[in-house]
Structure formats: C-alpha cells, structure tokens
C-alpha cells in the first residue's frame, strides 16, 4: 500500500529494528507484510499450526472449508488495488445471493420492502407500518438517546420488523437479549438502512450517487485462507520468520521500545527481544500477560470483556447443490445453527468434484454453554437432522463426511459498557511504549477481514513514520455495504446507464 494513500510522512524517522507480531491472522500478517516489504526485520509468532486466524481455510479429503464464510469487499480502492496485486491469478468474482429463513419463508438480505408487502399477511403489514410510525413519532417527540441494540433496530425499522428480522437472529448470535447489547454494532452494520430507505428504493430505485458493494464480491479461488498464505509466503521470502505452534505466555516490558516476548515452542520456553510488539491476541488476555502488571482498573476491565465462540460443522454431501445461496441466515431458535454457506457456490475449486457439494454450518455459542459442551458427534448429528427434518434441504443418506471445528474468541460482544472498558485498557497500555494492538481480537472491534488487513497495513505505515492512525479503521458512520460517489462520478454512471 502506498504511504500517500493512508498517511503523510512529515519528517525522517528511524525504522524499527525488530518487530515481533503476536498472531498470524489477517491483521498481524498485514502488518508484518508491509514492514517486510520495507526491509524491517519481523518475527511472527502463531500458536496454531496454520496461518489465517479466524479467516483460515481448512482442507479435508479434497474439500476446502472456510472458518465461516468471508468475502472481500471494501470502500477503499487503494486497498482493493493492494489486494488484487497480492492475489493476482487467484481471484474469482462471486454473485452474492443472501437470504433469511424466517418461519418457513425466505427473504432476501438485506431485506426489501417489496418482499415484505408480497409475502407477509395484510395484518402483519399494517402492524409493521404502524409500529414504525409510532417509533418515529416517539423518537421525534421524546428524543431519547439510543443506547442498546433493541432501541437502535426499533428506531430504524419499528418494533414489528425488528422482532421479525433482527431480534431472534441477533440473540442467537450473541447469546443475550438485544437490550443488553450496545447500539454500536447496529450503527456499524446497518446505519442508513431503515423503512424510509427501503421505501425510497422500492419507489424510486437506487440513488445515483450510491453504489452497492453487496451484489458481487472478489474471492480467492481456493478459499479465503489463501490471503494469509500469500502474505506469509512473501514475509518468509523477505528473510523474515513466521513461527507456528508458538504459544505466547508473557510480555515483559524492560523500558521504552525494549520488549521481551516469552513463548512456548516444542515444550521449550523461548524469548524474542524487540523494539516494537504488535499484538492481535484478544485484548483482555493481553492485559494478563504484561509484566509489570497493568493496574487493577485495567485488569478488571480486561476480565469483563467477553467473546462469543463458534463451532463450524462442515459437511460433505453426495449431491450436486443444496441451494444457490452464498449465505442463508437461519433465525429459528429450534435450529441449532445460525448461518449456512455452500462453498461450491463461491468457487468450484472448494469441492473435490462436481458430483458433490459441501456445507459450512455456523453454531454460535460460548465456552461451557449447552452447545459448546455437546460432543462433536452430537452437534454434527443435530445439524444434519435440522437440515433434513426442518429445512428439508438434504436426505440424511446424502451425508458422506462431517468435520467439526471449534473456535474460541470469534466475536467480540459489545455489551453496554464495552467502550469504557476498552478506553480504560488502552489508556493503561499506552504506558508500555512500543506495544501496539491491532485486529478484531487485539482491539476488541468487530472487524471484517478487510478492516483488519487495512488496520494492519496502517499500523505498519505508522511504524515506518507516516502520520496515520490505524485505529480509525471501521469507524465510518456510513452503511458498510454501500459507497457514496462523488457528484461527478455519479453523473457519469447515470449517463452511462441511460
């Protein structure tokens, strides 16, 4: 990435001598990749025996399974250029078809007003309109602050539509009532969407100055994990190290830009000295590793940060195709998984042959709860039964293989106090000069993979002397999946469409 795209260098700076990166997910590898390209010595330590973190791809008997479906889309064209260059020769374009399964019916996602009017009972339509008008009136008159997820969705869509399309799925994902979750998640994921915007699009069509990023997306032919594979390969090619199966246990601060990372590898304790450490370790866990210890307020805040965990049930099916969807969001509480995708619909290279297909079923859970404590065999059987008996997607006899993967710390939970907790921790970590946090877990921010990569690249440019803030990624106040065009570009596109 060009420094002119993300920051301006104001004065000469001494490059770091040695940067140690904790974690080989997209954010950590992006930081290491950019530093390596500029001649900085880098060591990446990864506890797993693979790179990619939450955006890896597992291979199993000729089939490839992403750890949940990840697509590449970004509003940053410079980042798109970087991505195309990195993945040159490996990209395919995928048409997105995402739907919601709600009480036996299917709705496109994002939701469309026309479908609501044609598929819902007239009384339900009246209730949707009335609840939205009431919510809008109440908000206008009372001007109540919107603090939690329930209030945010209700303000945008009204209580009826919130209960239909947002409440059950959100509570399935997060494992707690929407009234206990911050409105920030809604602001990041659906700001700008409301009944008014749906009605305007239904009546007038899409705005000329806005383009959708959701209809088609770029995807690595052999799975999303190839992005991390390519970055890791280029880091190693630059004579730097990506060390797998290295569990970081302690981070010792010896003074400004003098940090020691203690880790276990092959059962032996080892240490690495660095002038800068970049951590993608879950933020709460990092606080417990630092010596001298963080103060009691930061430690308490760290202990109270909560992540949601994930179990993915990956199926091999003797069947050509289950559906045309790229994603299916399953709201029903009696179906154990919350989201499903069919890798073959993203790339034909994800399956062993055309006579078979595969599915990735995401079961949201928390370590120790009733889903997490199920055996792999039990949760696999339950998913298969739900697919066959409730969704009628498959016959049980079509299942040839099952691969169950458990992932900790998949989603940061935005409770009502999360912002103050993060602020307390970040203020404390500023004392450790040379320590930086990045990525979804490292910053406790619900990043997409492109956000994490952009954040990592910006942090690298910051270490290289550019005046740029890597923490300003994923804070825009505009809907993630739309991009507003300049007036001149909008006019050109409008003329071209005529």
């Amino acid at each position: 990435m060009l420094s002119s795209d993300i920051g301006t260098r104001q004065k000469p700076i001494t490059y770091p001598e040695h940067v140690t990166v904790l974690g080989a997910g997209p954010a950590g590898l992006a930081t290491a990749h950019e530093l390596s390209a500029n001649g900085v010595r880098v060591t990446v330590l990864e506890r797993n025996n693979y790179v990619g973190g939450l955006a890896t791809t597992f291979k199993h008997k000729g089939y490839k399974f992403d750890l949940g479906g990840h697509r590449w889309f970004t509003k940053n064209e410079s980042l798109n250029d970087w991505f195309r260059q990195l993945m040159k020769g490996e990209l395919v374009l995928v048409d997105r078809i995402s739907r919601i399964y709600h009480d036996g019916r299917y709705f496109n996602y994002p939701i469309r007003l026309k479908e609501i009017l044609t598929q819902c009972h007239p009384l339900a339509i009246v209730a949707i309109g009335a609840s939205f008008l009431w919510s809008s009136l109440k908000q206008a008159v009372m001007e109540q602050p919107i603090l939690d997820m329930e209030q945010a969705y209700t303000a945008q869509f009204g209580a009826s539509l919130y209960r239909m399309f947002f409440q059950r799925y959100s509570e399935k994902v997060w494992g707690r009532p929407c009234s206990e979750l911050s409105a920030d998640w809604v602001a990041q994921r659906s700001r700008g969407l409301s009944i008014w915007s749906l009605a305007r699009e239904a009546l007038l069509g899409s705005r000329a100055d806005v383009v959708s990023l959701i209809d088609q997306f770029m995807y690595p032919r052999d799975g999303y994990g190839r992005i991390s594979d390519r970055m890791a390969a280029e880091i190693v090619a630059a004579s730097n190290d990506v060390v797998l199966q290295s569990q970081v246990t302690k981070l010792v601060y010896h003074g400004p830009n003098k940090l020691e990372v203690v880790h276990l590898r092959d059962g032996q304790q080892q240490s690495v000295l660095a002038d800068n450490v970049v951590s993608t370790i879950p933020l709460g866990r990092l606080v417990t590793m630092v010596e001298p210890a963080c103060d009691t307020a930061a430690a308490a805040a760290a202990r109270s940060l909560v992540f949601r965990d994930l179990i993915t049930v990956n199926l091999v099916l003797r069947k050509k195709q289950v559906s045309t969807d790229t994603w299916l969001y399953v709201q029903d509480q009696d179906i154990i998984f919350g989201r499903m995708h069919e890798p073959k619909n993203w790339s034909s290279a994800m399956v062993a042959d055309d006579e078979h297909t595969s599915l990735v079923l995401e079961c949201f859970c928390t370590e120790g709860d009733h889903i997490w404590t199920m055996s792999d065999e039990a949760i696999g059987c339950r998913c298969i039964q739900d697919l066959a008996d409730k969704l009628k997607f498959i016959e049980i006899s079509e299942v040839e293989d099952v691969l169950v993967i458990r992932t900790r710390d998949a989603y940061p939970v935005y409770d009502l106090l999360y912002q103050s907790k993060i602020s307390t921790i970040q203020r404390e970590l500023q004392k450790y000069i040379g320590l930086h946090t990045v990525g979804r877990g490292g910053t406790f921010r619900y990043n997409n993979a492109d956000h994490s990569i952009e954040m990592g690249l910006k942090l690298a440019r910051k270490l290289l002397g550019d005046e740029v803030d890597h923490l300003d990624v994923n804070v825009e106040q505009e809907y993630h999946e739309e991009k507003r065009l300049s007036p001149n570009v909008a006019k050109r596109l409008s003329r071209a469409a005529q």
Side-chain angles (χ1 to χ4, degrees):
M1 178 176 284
L2 299 177
S3 60
S4 58
D5 293 325
I6 54 175
T8 303
R9 182 167 298 168
Q10 300 294 327
K11 57 186 178 180
I13 191 169
T14 302
Y15 278 13
E17 292 184 7
H18 183 203
V19 178
T20 299
V21 178
L22 313 184
L29 288 174
T31 308
H33 186 271
E34 184 74 1
L35 291 172
S36 294
N38 286 273
V40 176
R41 182 185 169 208
V42 180
T43 301
V44 181
L45 300 176
E46 168 57 51
R47 67 175 180 175
N48 294 311
N49 62 354
Y50 55 85
V51 300
L54 297 173
T56 196
T57 301
F58 291 96
K59 297 178 181 178
H60 179 72
K61 299 180 181 178
Y63 295 84
K64 305 180 185 79
F65 299 101
D66 287 349
L67 192 58
H70 301 280
R71 64 199 161 122
W72 178 271
F73 73 97
T74 176
K75 301 177 185 181
N76 184 332
E77 280 308 309
S78 296
L79 185 60
N80 265 334
D81 291 340
W82 175 92
F83 177 69
R84 292 186 188 100
Q85 180 61 35
L86 176 76
M87 301 306 299
K88 190 174 182 179
E90 291 197 33
L91 294 176
V92 295
L93 287 176
V94 182
D95 293 323
R96 172 178 166 177
I97 304 173
S98 293
R99 294 190 299 167
I100 298 170
Y101 179 80
H102 170 75
D103 287 345
R105 290 172 293 175
Y106 296 90
F107 296 84
N108 279 293
Y109 178 78
I111 58 176
R112 299 170 186 173
L113 187 60
K114 183 178 179 180
E115 283 188 307
I116 296 171
L117 296 176
T118 56
Q119 292 202 51
C120 292
H121 190 278
L123 290 178
I125 295 171
V126 171
I128 288 170
S131 68
F132 177 70
L133 290 175
W134 170 246
S135 174
S136 298
L137 178 63
K138 187 168 65 172
Q139 190 65 31
V141 172
M142 302 180 68
E143 295 186 356
Q144 292 179 326
I146 295 175
L147 302 176
D148 63 49
M149 185 181 287
E150 181 174 292
Q151 293 170 338
Y153 276 132
T154 302
Q156 288 179 226
F157 299 100
S160 291
L161 211 57
Y162 155 68
R163 286 193 293 267
M164 283 181 64
F165 291 116
F166 300 101
Q167 182 179 15
R168 283 192 287 176
Y169 184 76
S170 297
E171 294 182 353
K172 195 173 188 177
V173 171
W174 301 111
R176 59 180 67 190
C178 291
S179 58
E180 296 179 7
L181 297 164
S182 170
D184 289 357
W185 192 89
V186 182
Q188 287 183 2
R189 296 286 153 165
S190 64
R191 183 182 294 273
L193 290 181
S194 69
I195 284 188
W196 295 124
S197 65
L198 297 177
R200 183 183 63 237
E201 182 171 349
L203 294 171
L204 303 176
S206 300
R207 290 176 51 174
D209 64 340
V210 172
V211 295
S212 173
L213 300 174
I214 63 173
D215 297 331
Q216 196 175 61
F217 58 90
M218 290 185 286
Y219 181 74
R221 181 183 57 244
D222 292 301
Y224 209 82
R226 284 294 301 153
I227 302 172
S228 294
D229 291 342
R230 291 284 288 261
M231 286 193 288
E234 293 186 11
I235 292 166
V236 172
S239 300
N240 283 316
D241 298 316
V242 178
V243 186
L244 304 179
Q245 295 181 290
S246 296
Q247 177 71 51
V248 175
T249 58
K250 187 164 53 178
L251 179 60
V252 184
Y253 181 71
H254 295 293
N257 297 106
K258 296 179 182 177
L259 299 103
E260 179 184 2
V261 179
V262 180
H263 61 103
L264 290 174
R265 187 161 188 262
D266 298 328
Q268 300 295 316
Q269 181 171 292
Q270 302 180 19
S271 65
V272 178
L273 297 174
D275 53 348
N276 285 271
V277 169
V278 173
S279 174
T280 70
I281 291 172
L283 185 60
R285 194 173 303 157
L286 174 67
V287 170
T288 67
M289 294 182 177
V290 176
E291 293 184 3
C294 290
D295 66 23
T296 55
R303 287 192 298 270
S304 66
L305 291 181
V306 176
F307 282 85
R308 192 76 160 138
D309 303 318
L310 178 69
I311 298 176
T312 49
V313 176
N314 307 279
L315 304 179
V316 174
L317 303 172
R318 189 174 63 258
K319 187 182 185 80
K320 270 186 170 291
Q321 189 178 45
V322 172
S323 76
T324 59
D325 295 319
T326 41
W327 273 289
L328 181 67
Y329 298 87
V330 181
Q331 300 213 25
D332 293 33
Q333 296 293 331
D334 62 342
I335 295 177
I336 194 169
F337 54 90
R339 190 169 69 164
M340 176 186 97
H341 82 269
E342 190 167 354
K344 188 178 184 179
N345 293 345
W346 301 42
S347 169
S348 59
M350 300 295 283
V351 294
D353 59 70
D354 191 49
E355 298 304 312
H356 288 77
T357 191
S358 58
L359 294 176
V360 178
L361 311 173
E362 297 175 65
C363 303
F364 308 110
C365 52
T366 300
E367 185 183 28
D369 70 11
H370 71 285
I371 295 179
W372 184 270
T373 53
M374 293 175 70
S375 68
D376 289 356
E377 181 181 6
I379 197 167
C381 288
R382 172 67 187 276
C383 283
I384 292 167
Q385 288 174 343
D386 285 351
L387 280 170
D389 299 339
K390 296 171 183 174
L391 292 173
K392 309 297 183 184
F393 275 174
I394 66 169
E395 300 290 337
I396 292 178
S397 60
E398 293 173 326
V399 179
E400 290 192 351
D401 205 356
V402 183
L403 174 67
V404 177
I405 298 170
R406 296 172 183 262
T407 304
R408 291 292 317 282
D409 303 325
Y411 306 108
V413 178
Y414 286 7
D415 65 24
L416 298 178
L417 299 176
Y418 88 101
Q419 283 188 329
S420 63
K421 297 173 186 176
I422 293 171
S423 295
T424 298
I425 292 170
Q426 292 290 8
R427 282 195 301 270
E428 175 68 6
L429 292 182
Q430 288 175 4
K431 299 192 312 188
Y432 304 91
I433 299 169
L435 174 61
H436 316 271
T437 59
V438 73
R440 179 185 283 195
T443 61
F444 201 80
R445 187 177 298 177
Y446 196 103
N447 285 347
N448 291 334
D450 62 283
H451 293 134
S452 288
I453 288 173
E454 184 176 8
M455 190 181 277
L457 293 172
K458 279 195 168 189
L459 175 55
R461 297 309 313 178
K462 181 179 179 180
L463 293 174
L464 293 169
D466 290 358
E467 293 198 355
V468 60
D469 182 7
H470 69 289
L471 295 178
D472 69 0
V473 175
N474 192 18
V475 295
E476 64 269 21
Q477 301 299 301
E478 191 177 68
Y479 180 40
H480 275 180
E481 298 189 354
E482 287 181 345
K483 177 167 64 176
R484 196 170 302 279
L485 303 176
S486 69
N488 289 336
V489 173
K491 287 178 182 177
R492 288 201 304 271
L493 291 177
S494 179
R495 287 196 299 268
Q498 293 174 355

